[in-house]
Amino acid sequence: MTAPNELRLLPWSGPEGKPCYLNTDDTAGYMSRLADNIEAMQLGTAAELLEQASETLDDENTGPEDLRRLAKDLTGALRDVHRVATSRGHLLAASDPHPS
């Protein structure tokens, strides 16, 4: 099994917003693939929101409600992308055969 410091941070939260972790050596297993797919969707959503944000901010007719909704959506996407980056950073550190 995976060492405790090598648990994979999953791209979703558990009860009360607490992080969820996966303990497995099988990177091709069902849960690992599910996490990979959800991470890919989250990153894709963030990329789409970035494009939308540029368009919204360039539009002089954008109102405060539109900006508030955009900020809320961007905050959620940033939270997801941060979790993906943290998870992947931990995976890279765990797989590094020559730690500094």
Side-chain angles (χ1 to χ4, degrees):
M1 260 318 176
T2 308
N5 63 341
E6 297 176 1
L7 298 175
R8 179 179 180 170
L9 176 63
L10 293 172
W12 55 81
S13 298
E16 301 173 12
K18 294 183 179 182
C20 293
Y21 295 92
L22 178 62
N23 182 7
T24 184
D25 292 330
D26 186 4
T27 58
Y30 175 78
M31 289 301 295
S32 293
R33 289 191 328 266
L34 177 64
D36 290 342
N37 289 337
I38 290 175
E39 286 179 351
M41 289 185 331
Q42 289 172 329
L43 294 174
T45 298
E48 291 171 9
L49 272 170
L50 273 175
E51 188 173 318
Q52 178 185 343
S54 293
E55 293 169 4
T56 300
L57 294 172
D58 287 342
D59 184 354
E60 294 178 11
N61 297 318
T62 300
E65 286 301 316
D66 293 327
L67 290 174
R68 193 171 293 113
R69 183 174 33 257
L70 176 62
K72 184 178 179 187
D73 292 345
L74 286 170
T75 300
L78 182 58
R79 185 178 301 111
D80 291 342
V81 169
H82 180 263
R83 185 185 309 253
V84 170
T86 300
S87 176
R88 291 185 181 182
H90 288 160
L91 290 174
L92 287 173
S95 66
D96 185 3
H98 307 291
S100 306

